[in-house]
Amino acid sequence: MSLSRVIAFGTITSLGSLSVVFVAADRLAHPAIAAVAPPVMVRAAPAMPDPITTGTVTQGPAVEPPKARAMTGFDTERLNALMRGETLPGARKR
């Protein structure tokens, strides 16, 4: 029984080592191709004719600019004041 364990262990170990050797030899025989970016296909935009020469410019109604919002971003000054426990003048209470 002891001899069969040794033979089984040796067989498994040798087959594992043999597979590692074959994989390493295959990797060495076929080096990886260097990563090269594929060529970029650039499409040139077609030249558009000047609207003044074609006479396609029309005057439409005037477009109103968008109204400015009260706050355009995050109010860090108010946040810092609230963290200090202060209230800003003109700040409404909820």
Side-chain angles (χ1 to χ4, degrees):
M1 187 74 172
S2 175
L3 185 61
S4 62
R5 285 185 195 165
V6 171
I7 292 174
F9 180 74
T11 303
I12 292 171
T13 305
S14 62
L15 288 176
S17 299
L18 190 63
S19 66
V20 169
V21 168
F22 279 137
V23 169
D26 185 53
R27 293 289 175 120
L28 290 174
H30 302 95
I33 298 172
V36 177
V40 178
M41 302 290 288
V42 179
R43 289 183 55 189
M48 300 300 289
D50 189 19
I52 295 174
T53 59
T54 59
T56 57
V57 176
T58 59
Q59 184 69 32
V63 178
E64 294 182 20
K67 298 187 188 266
R69 295 186 333 187
M71 287 191 340
T72 58
F74 188 74
D75 192 2
T76 55
E77 181 180 343
R78 183 168 184 260
L79 176 64
N80 290 335
L82 289 173
M83 289 173 60
R84 288 190 302 263
E86 301 172 1
T87 57
L88 291 176
R92 61 183 176 143
K93 293 186 179 181
R94 295 184 185 202

XYZ file of all heavy atoms in Angstrom:
679
model
N 0.832 -1.190 0.000
C 0.000 0.000 0.000
C 0.874 1.251 0.000
O 0.546 2.220 -0.670
C -0.896 -0.045 1.228
C -1.908 1.033 1.267
S -3.167 0.641 0.065
C -4.334 1.864 0.433
N 1.953 1.237 0.716
C 2.837 2.387 0.806
C 3.494 2.660 -0.540
O 3.680 3.820 -0.903
C 3.896 2.128 1.880
O 4.814 3.175 1.902
N 3.852 1.581 -1.262
C 4.504 1.740 -2.552
C 3.543 2.368 -3.577
O 3.945 3.205 -4.380
C 5.007 0.381 -3.056
C 5.806 0.403 -4.344
C 7.061 1.250 -4.174
C 6.163 -0.997 -4.750
N 2.265 2.019 -3.541
C 1.310 2.575 -4.494
C 1.079 4.070 -4.223
O 0.871 4.844 -5.153
C -0.010 1.810 -4.440
O -0.590 1.931 -3.165
N 1.126 4.467 -2.960
C 1.000 5.896 -2.640
C 2.168 6.678 -3.210
O 1.986 7.767 -3.770
C 0.936 6.107 -1.133
C -0.366 5.745 -0.521
C -0.361 6.109 0.942
N -1.462 5.446 1.623
C -1.575 5.315 2.921
N -0.632 5.805 3.705
N -2.601 4.703 3.447
N 3.361 6.163 -3.089
C 4.559 6.828 -3.596
C 4.488 6.925 -5.115
O 4.803 7.971 -5.704
C 5.827 6.086 -3.139
C 7.075 6.639 -3.832
C 5.986 6.177 -1.638
N 4.053 5.854 -5.765
C 3.958 5.872 -7.229
C 2.882 6.863 -7.689
O 3.087 7.628 -8.645
C 3.675 4.448 -7.756
C 4.906 3.561 -7.522
C 3.321 4.481 -9.242
C 4.691 2.110 -7.865
N 1.738 6.873 -6.986
C 0.666 7.799 -7.355
C 1.110 9.247 -7.141
O 0.885 10.116 -8.004
C -0.580 7.494 -6.538
N 1.737 9.521 -6.020
C 2.218 10.880 -5.752
C 3.265 11.293 -6.775
O 3.254 12.415 -7.281
C 2.774 10.957 -4.324
C 3.294 12.317 -3.969
C 2.428 13.363 -3.703
C 4.668 12.565 -3.914
C 2.907 14.616 -3.381
C 5.148 13.816 -3.596
C 4.262 14.846 -3.324
N 4.182 10.415 -7.106
C 5.216 10.722 -8.101
C 4.630 10.959 -9.473
O 5.079 11.848 -10.209
N 3.625 10.177 -9.827
C 2.998 10.337 -11.140
C 2.278 11.686 -11.235
O 2.420 12.415 -12.234
C 1.993 9.193 -11.384
O 2.683 7.937 -11.265
C 1.372 9.295 -12.755
N 1.524 12.016 -10.205
C 0.803 13.283 -10.205
C 1.774 14.464 -10.236
O 1.589 15.432 -10.994
C -0.137 13.368 -8.994
C -1.273 12.355 -9.158
C -0.705 14.768 -8.825
C -2.131 12.205 -7.924
N 2.821 14.387 -9.439
C 3.812 15.462 -9.393
C 4.543 15.601 -10.721
O 4.754 16.714 -11.220
C 4.823 15.208 -8.258
O 4.117 15.047 -7.035
C 5.804 16.346 -8.126
N 4.914 14.490 -11.327
C 5.650 14.567 -12.594
C 4.751 15.070 -13.726
O 5.210 15.836 -14.582
C 6.257 13.212 -12.941
O 5.217 12.255 -13.117
N 3.480 14.665 -13.747
C 2.575 15.164 -14.776
C 2.322 16.671 -14.613
O 2.257 17.403 -15.604
C 1.252 14.403 -14.746
C 1.302 12.961 -15.268
C -0.053 12.293 -15.083
C 1.736 12.921 -16.714
N 2.197 17.143 -13.395
C 2.020 18.574 -13.155
C 3.240 19.365 -13.578
O 3.125 20.412 -14.232
N 4.412 18.868 -13.232
C 5.649 19.552 -13.620
C 5.830 19.535 -15.130
O 6.287 20.521 -15.723
C 6.853 18.877 -12.960
O 6.746 18.953 -11.558
N 5.471 18.428 -15.758
C 5.601 18.311 -17.206
C 4.672 19.295 -17.916
O 5.063 19.921 -18.912
C 5.295 16.872 -17.636
C 5.609 16.505 -19.076
C 7.109 16.640 -19.327
C 5.151 15.090 -19.365
N 3.476 19.452 -17.408
C 2.558 20.410 -18.029
C 3.069 21.844 -17.868
O 2.940 22.661 -18.785
C 1.148 20.267 -17.452
O 1.141 20.628 -16.089
N 3.653 22.163 -16.708
C 4.224 23.501 -16.506
C 5.371 23.734 -17.475
O 5.505 24.809 -18.068
C 4.672 23.682 -15.037
C 5.501 24.937 -14.872
C 3.481 23.705 -14.116
N 6.200 22.740 -17.695
C 7.330 22.868 -18.618
C 6.824 23.074 -20.041
O 7.345 23.924 -20.785
C 8.243 21.622 -18.516
C 9.252 21.575 -19.654
C 8.961 21.612 -17.183
N 5.803 22.317 -20.472
C 5.280 22.479 -21.824
C 4.644 23.853 -22.032
O 4.801 24.475 -23.079
C 4.274 21.379 -22.151
C 4.919 20.081 -22.558
C 4.445 18.881 -22.067
C 5.991 20.061 -23.430
C 5.024 17.691 -22.441
C 6.578 18.875 -23.814
C 6.105 17.674 -23.317
N 3.922 24.334 -21.040
C 3.311 25.659 -21.155
C 4.382 26.731 -21.233
O 4.306 27.664 -22.041
C 2.341 25.915 -19.989
C 1.912 27.381 -19.940
C 1.123 25.018 -20.100
N 5.423 26.630 -20.404
C 6.507 27.615 -20.432
C 7.236 27.577 -21.770
O 7.567 28.623 -22.340
C 7.477 27.353 -19.287
N 7.461 26.383 -22.318
C 8.143 26.276 -23.608
C 7.284 26.873 -24.721
O 7.796 27.535 -25.638
C 8.466 24.816 -23.904
N 5.972 26.654 -24.650
C 5.084 27.214 -25.661
C 5.069 28.734 -25.592
O 5.072 29.424 -26.608
C 3.679 26.652 -25.473
C 2.742 27.103 -26.575
O 3.088 26.911 -27.759
O 1.676 27.666 -26.254
N 5.040 29.271 -24.371
C 5.043 30.729 -24.217
C 6.350 31.323 -24.730
O 6.360 32.398 -25.325
C 4.856 31.118 -22.743
C 3.518 30.781 -22.183
C 2.468 31.701 -22.780
N 1.142 31.335 -22.357
C 0.333 32.124 -21.693
N 0.709 33.331 -21.379
N -0.866 31.707 -21.372
N 7.453 30.649 -24.489
C 8.736 31.168 -24.966
C 8.855 31.066 -26.482
O 9.499 31.889 -27.125
C 9.888 30.427 -24.292
C 10.071 30.719 -22.804
C 11.144 29.807 -22.215
C 10.432 32.172 -22.592
N 8.227 30.053 -27.078
C 8.303 29.884 -28.520
C 7.418 30.881 -29.251
O 7.682 31.224 -30.407
C 7.893 28.459 -28.898
N 6.348 31.358 -28.610
C 5.430 32.311 -29.241
C 5.360 33.570 -28.397
O 4.460 33.705 -27.569
C 4.027 31.713 -29.376
C 3.998 30.451 -30.153
N 4.057 29.211 -29.563
C 3.928 30.241 -31.495
C 4.013 28.294 -30.504
N 3.939 28.880 -31.682
N 6.296 34.511 -28.591
C 6.260 35.734 -27.773
C 5.018 36.562 -28.098
O 4.499 36.519 -29.205
C 7.533 36.470 -28.168
C 7.866 35.949 -29.519
C 7.381 34.516 -29.554
N 4.587 37.300 -27.112
C 3.400 38.136 -27.275
C 3.693 39.260 -28.255
O 4.790 39.812 -28.299
C 2.973 38.707 -25.933
N 2.695 39.620 -29.030
C 2.845 40.728 -29.969
C 2.757 42.026 -29.181
O 1.907 42.171 -28.302
C 1.736 40.678 -31.042
C 1.859 39.382 -31.827
C 1.797 41.881 -31.953
C 0.716 39.152 -32.778
N 3.638 42.947 -29.500
C 3.642 44.225 -28.792
C 2.307 44.929 -29.019
O 1.755 44.914 -30.113
C 4.793 45.104 -29.282
N 1.809 45.526 -27.965
C 0.519 46.212 -28.047
C 0.687 47.483 -28.874
O 1.330 48.431 -28.452
C 0.010 46.551 -26.658
N 0.108 47.473 -30.049
C 0.180 48.619 -30.943
C -1.245 49.086 -31.179
O -2.131 48.282 -31.456
C 0.843 48.240 -32.283
C 0.847 49.424 -33.239
C 2.234 47.718 -32.045
N -1.443 50.369 -31.070
C -2.777 50.916 -31.288
C -3.153 50.741 -32.760
O -2.324 50.924 -33.648
C -2.813 52.393 -30.917
N -4.383 50.347 -33.023
C -4.796 50.189 -34.414
C -4.811 51.544 -35.119
O -4.973 52.583 -34.478
C -6.207 49.609 -34.301
C -6.678 50.024 -32.955
C -5.454 50.075 -32.087
N -4.627 51.541 -36.409
C -4.632 52.826 -37.117
C -5.992 53.497 -36.994
O -7.030 52.843 -37.039
C -4.325 52.443 -38.563
C -4.684 50.999 -38.659
C -4.443 50.414 -37.298
N -5.964 54.778 -36.824
C -7.182 55.543 -36.631
C -7.672 56.030 -37.993
O -6.926 56.632 -38.751
C -6.927 56.752 -35.703
C -8.184 57.571 -35.536
C -6.420 56.268 -34.368
N -8.915 55.715 -38.266
C -9.511 56.175 -39.515
C -10.094 57.560 -39.274
O -10.990 57.726 -38.451
C -10.612 55.218 -39.968
C -10.144 53.792 -40.177
S -9.079 53.630 -41.605
C -10.245 53.847 -42.894
N -9.584 58.548 -39.960
C -10.037 59.921 -39.779
C -10.890 60.294 -40.979
O -10.466 60.162 -42.119
C -8.841 60.884 -39.664
C -9.327 62.307 -39.509
C -7.970 60.484 -38.504
N -12.102 60.718 -40.679
C -12.987 61.177 -41.743
C -12.971 62.693 -41.763
O -13.228 63.342 -40.758
C -14.411 60.704 -41.505
C -14.576 59.225 -41.725
C -16.008 58.815 -41.554
N -16.864 59.622 -42.435
C -18.178 59.608 -42.376
N -18.782 58.869 -41.498
N -18.885 60.348 -43.194
N -12.674 63.234 -42.914
C -12.678 64.687 -43.059
C -14.119 65.153 -43.225
O -14.906 64.540 -43.944
C -11.849 65.108 -44.265
N -14.459 66.197 -42.518
C -15.802 66.751 -42.634
C -15.939 67.392 -44.016
O -15.019 68.053 -44.501
C -16.038 67.790 -41.549
N -17.078 67.178 -44.663
C -17.241 67.782 -45.994
C -17.270 69.306 -45.888
O -17.779 69.875 -44.930
C -18.580 67.233 -46.475
C -19.307 66.849 -45.231
C -18.250 66.438 -44.246
N -16.697 69.936 -46.869
C -16.650 71.395 -46.874
C -18.050 71.924 -47.145
O -18.650 71.623 -48.173
C -15.676 71.886 -47.929
N -18.572 72.680 -46.218
C -19.900 73.251 -46.362
C -19.779 74.606 -47.058
O -18.884 75.391 -46.747
C -20.561 73.427 -44.991
C -20.719 72.139 -44.217
S -21.702 70.923 -45.055
C -23.303 71.657 -44.908
N -20.676 74.890 -47.981
C -20.608 76.191 -48.665
C -20.974 77.319 -47.701
O -21.710 77.125 -46.743
C -21.636 76.062 -49.782
C -22.580 75.005 -49.308
C -21.756 74.065 -48.477
N -20.436 78.461 -47.975
C -20.690 79.631 -47.144
C -22.154 80.049 -47.303
O -22.635 80.213 -48.429
C -19.767 80.772 -47.571
C -19.828 81.935 -46.612
O -20.280 81.731 -45.465
O -19.420 83.052 -47.004
N -22.933 80.199 -46.210
C -24.342 80.540 -46.350
C -24.569 81.894 -47.019
O -25.603 82.115 -47.635
C -24.874 80.558 -44.918
C -23.817 80.042 -44.053
C -22.559 79.970 -44.837
N -23.617 82.784 -46.921
C -23.792 84.102 -47.537
C -23.808 83.961 -49.060
O -24.604 84.598 -49.745
C -22.688 85.064 -47.066
C -22.839 85.305 -45.570
C -22.723 86.367 -47.845
C -21.729 86.115 -44.961
N -22.959 83.092 -49.595
C -22.911 82.940 -51.051
C -24.084 82.131 -51.572
O -24.505 82.317 -52.717
C -21.599 82.253 -51.471
O -21.531 80.974 -50.830
C -20.401 83.083 -51.085
N -24.641 81.245 -50.775
C -25.770 80.446 -51.259
C -27.098 81.134 -51.016
O -28.113 80.724 -51.573
C -25.794 79.077 -50.565
O -25.894 79.273 -49.159
C -24.546 78.289 -50.901
N -27.124 82.161 -50.178
C -28.353 82.898 -49.930
C -29.322 82.175 -49.017
O -30.529 82.380 -49.106
N -28.836 81.328 -48.130
C -29.734 80.571 -47.253
C -29.836 81.167 -45.864
O -30.458 80.571 -44.997
C -29.246 79.121 -47.126
O -27.911 79.135 -46.633
C -29.314 78.409 -48.462
N -29.230 82.315 -45.641
C -29.281 82.920 -44.317
C -30.615 83.627 -44.159
O -30.995 84.452 -44.986
C -28.117 83.905 -44.111
C -28.227 84.592 -42.767
C -26.808 83.191 -44.234
N -31.334 83.289 -43.119
C -32.607 83.955 -42.849
C -32.556 84.536 -41.452
O -31.910 83.995 -40.565
C -33.779 82.968 -42.939
O -33.577 81.924 -42.006
C -33.899 82.395 -44.340
N -33.253 85.628 -41.276
C -33.298 86.280 -39.974
C -34.513 85.771 -39.234
O -35.635 85.966 -39.666
C -33.363 87.798 -40.126
C -33.326 88.552 -38.825
C -31.964 88.445 -38.147
O -30.954 88.344 -38.820
N -31.958 88.465 -36.843
N -34.313 85.120 -38.113
C -35.411 84.614 -37.315
C -35.673 85.521 -36.138
O -35.046 86.575 -35.978
N -36.628 85.149 -35.303
C -36.899 85.964 -34.121
C -35.698 85.936 -33.178
O -34.948 84.967 -33.122
C -38.117 85.291 -33.495
C -38.092 83.892 -34.011
C -37.469 83.963 -35.366
N -35.522 87.016 -32.445
C -34.396 87.116 -31.523
C -34.557 86.089 -30.404
O -35.652 85.904 -29.862
C -34.323 88.515 -30.939
N -33.504 85.432 -30.081
C -33.525 84.418 -29.043
C -33.121 85.076 -27.734
O -32.079 85.725 -27.644
C -32.554 83.275 -29.384
C -32.544 82.234 -28.285
C -32.920 82.659 -30.718
N -33.953 84.894 -26.726
C -33.634 85.473 -25.423
C -32.551 84.633 -24.747
O -32.615 83.412 -24.765
C -34.881 85.489 -24.536
C -35.967 86.397 -25.013
C -37.144 86.388 -24.043
O -36.942 86.005 -22.878
O -38.230 86.749 -24.469
N -31.577 85.302 -24.127
C -30.568 84.525 -23.405
C -31.221 83.879 -22.180
O -32.177 84.421 -21.616
C -29.522 85.567 -23.005
C -30.256 86.865 -23.027
C -31.315 86.740 -24.061
N -30.718 82.729 -21.754
C -31.312 82.078 -20.585
C -31.112 82.933 -19.342
O -30.087 83.609 -19.179
C -30.549 80.758 -20.482
C -29.288 80.976 -21.243
C -29.594 81.974 -22.287
N -32.114 82.933 -18.486
C -32.047 83.736 -17.265
C -31.043 83.112 -16.297
O -30.950 81.903 -16.180
C -33.420 83.812 -16.623
C -34.436 84.476 -17.515
C -35.731 84.680 -16.780
C -36.782 85.154 -17.736
N -36.954 86.532 -17.842
N -30.307 83.986 -15.617
C -29.305 83.512 -14.677
C -29.994 82.927 -13.450
O -30.992 83.456 -12.956
C -28.382 84.655 -14.273
N -29.472 81.842 -12.977
C -30.034 81.228 -11.788
C -29.557 81.979 -10.554
O -28.555 82.688 -10.570
C -29.586 79.773 -11.686
C -30.123 78.942 -12.818
C -29.828 77.494 -12.679
N -28.635 77.193 -11.899
C -28.127 75.988 -11.764
N -28.685 74.992 -12.365
N -27.063 75.778 -11.046
N -30.276 81.781 -9.463
C -29.901 82.464 -8.227
C -28.536 81.967 -7.748
O -27.691 82.756 -7.324
C -30.964 82.230 -7.159
N -28.341 80.677 -7.784
C -27.041 80.115 -7.395
C -26.542 79.267 -8.551
O -27.249 78.388 -9.043
C -27.172 79.236 -6.150
C -27.400 80.022 -4.895
S -27.253 79.093 -3.362
C -27.454 77.426 -3.764
N -25.339 79.527 -8.985
C -24.801 78.763 -10.095
C -23.959 77.592 -9.631
O -23.548 76.785 -10.439
C -23.942 79.667 -10.984
O -22.894 80.234 -10.190
C -24.780 80.759 -11.616
N -23.694 77.498 -8.357
C -22.877 76.402 -7.874
C -23.160 76.131 -6.410
O -24.138 76.605 -5.831
N -22.288 75.382 -5.793
C -22.461 75.037 -4.397
C -22.008 76.217 -3.533
O -20.974 76.824 -3.781
C -21.644 73.792 -4.068
C -21.924 73.259 -2.709
C -23.103 72.589 -2.456
C -21.027 73.431 -1.680
C -23.373 72.096 -1.203
C -21.286 72.937 -0.429
C -22.469 72.267 -0.183
N -22.795 76.562 -2.531
C -22.532 77.732 -1.701
C -21.638 77.325 -0.525
O -22.116 76.985 0.544
C -23.857 78.323 -1.211
C -23.676 79.693 -0.592
O -22.536 80.188 -0.587
O -24.670 80.260 -0.127
N -20.330 77.375 -0.734
C -19.406 76.954 0.320
C -19.346 77.968 1.452
O -19.099 77.601 2.594
C -17.994 76.741 -0.248
O -17.578 77.930 -0.902
C -17.977 75.575 -1.206
N -19.547 79.241 1.135
C -19.511 80.252 2.183
C -20.633 80.004 3.202
O -20.419 80.072 4.409
C -19.657 81.642 1.567
C -19.614 82.762 2.585
C -19.764 84.116 1.931
O -19.593 84.230 0.705
O -20.068 85.063 2.664
N -21.824 79.702 2.709
C -22.956 79.435 3.606
C -22.723 78.153 4.400
O -23.031 78.086 5.586
C -24.239 79.324 2.788
C -25.451 79.127 3.655
C -26.718 79.326 2.839
N -27.869 79.231 3.693
C -28.633 78.148 3.816
N -28.361 77.085 3.115
N -29.664 78.132 4.625
N -22.153 77.131 3.737
C -21.879 75.880 4.441
C -20.880 76.093 5.563
O -21.067 75.601 6.685
C -21.353 74.836 3.456
C -20.930 73.506 4.077
C -22.122 72.804 4.698
C -20.261 72.632 3.060
N -19.818 76.834 5.294
C -18.822 77.098 6.332
C -19.428 77.881 7.490
O -19.118 77.623 8.656
C -17.628 77.850 5.740
C -16.822 76.969 4.831
O -16.829 75.746 4.971
N -16.118 77.570 3.883
N -20.296 78.855 7.182
C -20.937 79.624 8.239
C -21.856 78.731 9.074
O -21.908 78.847 10.301
C -21.731 80.784 7.639
N -22.579 77.844 8.443
C -23.448 76.929 9.187
C -22.642 75.981 10.068
O -23.055 75.647 11.180
C -24.324 76.131 8.215
C -25.423 76.925 7.519
C -26.097 76.055 6.467
C -26.434 77.415 8.531
N -21.480 75.565 9.594
C -20.648 74.664 10.398
C -20.072 75.393 11.611
O -19.824 74.781 12.641
C -19.531 74.073 9.529
C -20.058 73.067 8.516
S -18.828 72.490 7.353
C -17.622 71.756 8.409
N -19.836 76.700 11.471
C -19.341 77.476 12.611
C -20.467 77.871 13.549
O -20.225 78.408 14.622
C -18.645 78.740 12.102
C -17.304 78.486 11.447
C -16.578 79.794 11.200
N -17.362 80.701 10.374
C -17.240 80.868 9.074
N -16.353 80.161 8.418
N -17.994 81.731 8.424
N -21.712 77.646 13.136
C -22.851 78.004 13.971
C -23.352 79.401 13.723
O -24.184 79.909 14.463
N -22.857 80.055 12.682
C -23.290 81.424 12.385
C -24.450 81.371 11.399
O -24.665 80.374 10.707
C -22.146 82.203 11.752
C -20.909 82.278 12.615
C -19.743 82.888 11.867
O -19.908 83.257 10.693
O -18.661 82.960 12.455
N -25.184 82.453 11.330
C -26.188 82.569 10.300
C -25.855 83.778 9.441
O -25.392 84.798 9.942
C -27.596 82.768 10.904
O -27.566 83.927 11.746
C -28.016 81.567 11.712
N -26.028 83.633 8.154
C -25.726 84.732 7.263
C -26.877 85.727 7.271
O -28.032 85.345 7.399
C -25.540 84.197 5.834
C -24.282 83.355 5.617
C -24.278 82.810 4.190
C -23.045 84.183 5.846
N -26.569 87.010 7.149
C -27.663 87.975 7.078
C -28.470 87.744 5.814
O -27.934 87.493 4.748
C -26.950 89.324 7.043
C -25.530 89.040 6.712
C -25.269 87.626 7.087
N -29.772 87.788 5.971
C -30.657 87.586 4.830
C -30.975 86.116 4.575
O -31.709 85.805 3.665
N -30.421 85.223 5.381
C -30.727 83.807 5.205
C -32.076 83.523 5.860
O -32.314 83.896 7.019
C -29.653 82.947 5.842
N -32.953 82.907 5.139
C -34.271 82.640 5.683
C -34.257 81.357 6.522
O -33.515 80.417 6.221
C -35.295 82.537 4.570
C -35.010 81.427 3.613
C -36.026 81.442 2.496
N -35.644 80.408 1.551
C -36.473 79.666 0.902
N -37.756 79.827 1.081
N -36.062 78.757 0.062
N -35.074 81.343 7.526
C -35.153 80.165 8.390
C -36.271 79.282 7.861
O -37.309 79.747 7.415
C -35.442 80.563 9.826
C -34.289 81.313 10.445
C -34.537 81.578 11.895
C -33.349 82.299 12.500
N -33.515 82.557 13.899
N -36.080 78.019 7.981
C -37.090 77.057 7.496
C -37.859 76.488 8.638
O -37.476 76.231 9.670
C -36.406 75.926 6.727
C -35.766 76.459 5.471
C -35.180 75.339 4.690
N -34.468 75.906 3.557
C -34.194 75.260 2.490
N -34.552 74.019 2.362
N -33.564 75.813 1.498
